[in-house]
Amino acid sequence: MTQSKIISARRLSMIGALAIVASTVINIIISLIARSWLHTSPTFAPLGIGPIIFWSVVCGIGATIVFGQVARHAQQPVLTYVVIAALVYLCTFIPDGLLISGDLPFKGATFISVITLMAMHAAEAIIMIITFISLGFRKKI
């Protein structure tokens, strides 16, 4: 049995839910620390609890679907998933970079607020990749 055939829909959904909860909690913690210690702008909407929960869930569901498809169809699913996930998460820095440069006006988008948002993107990427790779292919690793 190959790696691509060992993940059931139930296992995939459980791993996805775990990754989503973990990334949501970590992102809320990052936001709260940034607000209290770094005094990020309270008007910067992406650092609010609602948007953090929404985007963590939406992106986590997307990552779960991609992982499931890669695990089923790729000849080298671990490498394929890591490459896809890294490219997708690198793309999330594009709008953040536009916020820092001032090319994309957004209320409360200070340098510290945007760096915090970037840290949250990186944290979610790390959590998703590590969770899926370590738990998704546990029988083979």
Side-chain angles (χ1 to χ4, degrees):
M1 183 178 290
T2 65
Q3 285 180 334
S4 62
K5 303 298 181 199
I6 63 170
I7 299 171
S8 68
R10 183 173 186 252
R11 180 171 170 84
L12 179 63
S13 63
M14 290 177 68
I15 293 167
L18 175 66
I20 289 167
V21 169
S23 66
T24 302
V25 169
I26 292 299
N27 281 337
I28 289 170
I29 291 169
I30 291 170
S31 177
L32 293 173
I33 289 170
R35 285 183 189 260
S36 63
W37 293 357
L38 303 175
H39 307 290
T40 56
S41 175
T43 61
F44 189 56
L47 297 183
I49 300 297
I52 291 172
I53 293 169
F54 176 79
W55 287 111
S56 294
V57 170
V58 168
C59 294
I61 290 170
T64 303
I65 292 168
V66 170
F67 179 79
Q69 292 304 308
V70 168
R72 283 186 194 94
H73 301 292
Q75 289 185 4
Q76 295 182 328
V78 172
L79 178 62
T80 304
Y81 181 74
V82 169
V83 168
I84 291 169
L87 290 173
V88 168
Y89 280 105
L90 282 174
C91 288
T92 67
F93 292 122
I94 294 170
D96 298 343
L98 293 173
L99 288 171
I100 287 176
S101 70
D103 290 342
L104 187 62
F106 205 91
K107 188 174 180 182
T110 65
F111 180 78
I112 296 296
S113 296
V114 175
I115 293 298
T116 300
L117 187 60
M118 289 176 153
M120 291 165 58
H121 290 197
E124 181 159 12
I126 291 165
I127 290 167
M128 290 290 167
I129 291 169
I130 289 173
T131 302
F132 283 121
I133 297 306
S134 65
L135 296 179
F137 297 115
R138 191 171 180 189
K139 292 180 183 176
K140 291 291 183 178
I141 291 180

